[in-house]
Amino acid sequence: MTLQDAPKPYAFVLVPGYSQLGFACALEALSLANRHPSCKTYYHWRLLSETGEPVAAYNGMTTNVDGPLDELDRHETIVICAGEDVSNGVSKALLNWLRREVRRGMDFGALSSGTYILALAGLLSGKRVTTHWEYRAALTEVLPDVIMEDAIFTIDGRVFTTAGGAASMDMMLERIRADYGADLAKWVADQMVYTDPRLPDHAQRMTLQARTQVRNGKLAMAMQIMDNNIEDPLTPDEISQVIGLSTRQLERLFAKYVGISPKRHYLRLRLEKARDLLRQTDFSVTDVCIACGFKSLSHFSKSYRAAYGISPGLEGGSSKLVWRGGI
């Protein structure tokens, strides 16, 4: 069998707390390709963990692996599978292994927050990448040299990343198409009862109008402007001018459809981002205050305590994304 005819090999690295949904969607696409009526084995794979021990997903289910991190064949494709609490799954051993293997020229990628691990290894500088929307704000702040896109998956040269979840299917279907053509990719999609695979630039979340059930176009536009301008908030007057309304008309729209003032809604968006950063990064309260557009630390602390019943200095979580520049 020639190298061209040989099954394309994958090495899935399971990191504790990984998303089982994202991993299963990616693996199942490869598995189904091997069921094609041509009776050809298109792919094979192995599952790895740092120690070779079984790995627990974030939902508590444990997956056995084929072995520990070892030297790969240079034709293998590495996929880092991560999810919640990603920082605690990162070690010098994993990062050093990644750097060493990637230098050999193979494709490599990540599901969900696995993007963070690739970045920590120094493998994503200047690359277009994505991650799950829940981690996007934190990763954008922590990794300023990485081009973070609001996409369900990205492919930049030999690097591929995905938002995880069902988006892992879309990414793997695209890789199958690139490897073996559209017919096989379509057949696999049909087997998955996935009749409309999505392109990379498909939004990760429902539109703002769908999420909020706002049907007024001007109001939806104002809310989107706020969502896009957290670090440097616009005034109600500036937003009104952009959408072609008076400030009074904007206030009436918010009162009618949202039940609060534009200023109050904007504050809520900024506080939500602040809470994400405090829980997911090791940023100081001052850094978060600035990143979320607050001019005064005292105003930020007072607003945060009023919204969440806790001071920002006491907020935190077990899944902080810590930039370990020295690793």
Side-chain angles (χ1 to χ4, degrees):
M1 180 182 292
T2 66
L3 182 62
Q4 187 174 4
D5 295 329
K8 294 187 181 297
Y10 275 77
F12 290 88
V13 180
L14 304 186
V15 177
Y18 72 94
S19 165
Q20 195 167 59
L21 174 61
F23 164 63
C25 286
L27 184 60
E28 191 68 5
L30 302 184
S31 179
L32 285 169
N34 290 346
R35 292 185 55 222
H36 189 267
S38 65
C39 298
K40 177 178 177 179
T41 301
Y42 291 97
Y43 297 98
H44 69 73
W45 54 85
R46 52 181 173 151
L47 310 184
L48 306 176
S49 70
E50 183 176 336
T51 63
E53 297 297 315
V55 185
Y58 83 92
N59 62 6
M61 295 189 70
T62 299
T63 300
N64 292 324
V65 298
D66 299 307
L69 302 178
D70 58 10
E71 184 174 324
L72 302 180
D73 182 286
R74 67 185 182 87
H75 300 292
E76 286 185 90
T77 294
I78 300 172
V79 184
I80 302 296
C81 307
E84 289 192 355
D85 208 10
V86 61
S87 289
N88 289 334
V90 183
S91 68
K92 282 187 177 181
L94 173 58
L95 297 181
N96 289 337
W97 176 84
L98 264 173
R99 295 183 190 109
R100 183 180 69 246
E101 295 302 318
V102 166
R103 276 198 296 266
R104 302 171 66 204
M106 66 265 289
D107 286 1
F108 62 97
L111 311 182
S112 190
S113 63
T115 302
Y116 172 69
I117 296 175
L118 296 182
L120 276 185
L123 303 175
L124 297 182
S125 181
K127 293 293 185 181
R128 297 181 301 104
V129 301
T130 193
T131 189
H132 189 280
W133 63 265
E134 191 174 19
Y135 307 115
R136 185 168 178 259
L139 284 172
T140 299
E141 297 289 344
V142 172
L143 308 171
D145 62 335
V146 174
I147 305 168
M148 193 67 63
E149 297 194 344
D150 182 19
I152 59 172
F153 69 90
T154 62
I155 298 175
D156 190 346
R158 59 194 180 107
V159 182
F160 56 92
T161 54
T162 173
S168 297
M169 275 193 298
D170 299 282
M171 184 186 71
M172 280 305 183
L173 287 169
E174 172 56 26
R175 289 186 63 81
I176 291 170
R177 185 203 63 77
D179 288 340
Y180 296 108
D183 287 346
L184 179 60
K186 290 175 182 177
W187 188 88
V188 171
D190 283 343
Q191 291 295 306
M192 300 175 95
V193 197
Y194 194 41
T195 55
D196 192 17
R198 300 168 295 177
L199 296 175
D201 59 357
H202 193 285
Q204 290 190 23
R205 305 175 71 187
M206 294 181 183
T207 65
L208 187 144
Q209 284 181 284
R211 294 201 314 270
T212 59
Q213 296 187 328
V214 168
R215 295 292 177 261
N216 184 284
K218 294 284 188 180
L219 177 58
M221 191 185 305
M223 295 172 78
Q224 192 65 63
I225 289 170
M226 293 177 182
D227 205 33
N228 293 341
N229 294 274
I230 298 294
E231 186 169 353
D232 295 303
L234 281 67
T235 66
D237 287 346
E238 290 171 327
I239 295 171
S240 299
Q241 289 177 13
V242 171
I243 65 174
L245 294 177
S246 69
T247 304
R248 186 179 294 274
Q249 287 173 316
L250 180 65
E251 289 173 346
R252 286 173 179 165
L253 282 177
F254 269 88
K256 179 178 180 179
Y257 293 105
V258 187
I260 56 176
S261 69
K263 196 171 182 179
R264 189 69 186 168
H265 177 76
Y266 212 167
L267 176 62
R268 185 164 62 187
L269 292 178
R270 291 158 58 205
L271 288 172
E272 286 173 354
K273 179 179 178 180
R275 183 167 58 171
D276 285 343
L277 292 177
L278 288 167
R279 289 180 170 182
Q280 297 177 3
T281 74
D282 64 343
F283 284 7
S284 69
V285 173
T286 300
D287 289 338
V288 173
C289 172
I290 294 170
C292 296
F294 291 90
K295 306 300 183 186
S296 156
L297 190 57
S298 60
H299 177 226
F300 171 53
S301 297
K302 182 179 179 180
S303 300
Y304 197 94
R305 190 180 296 109
Y308 301 120
I310 186 175
S311 70
L314 297 177
E315 188 67 270
S318 61
S319 57
K320 286 180 176 287
L321 302 178
V322 182
W323 176 251
R324 307 180 188 187
I327 289 185

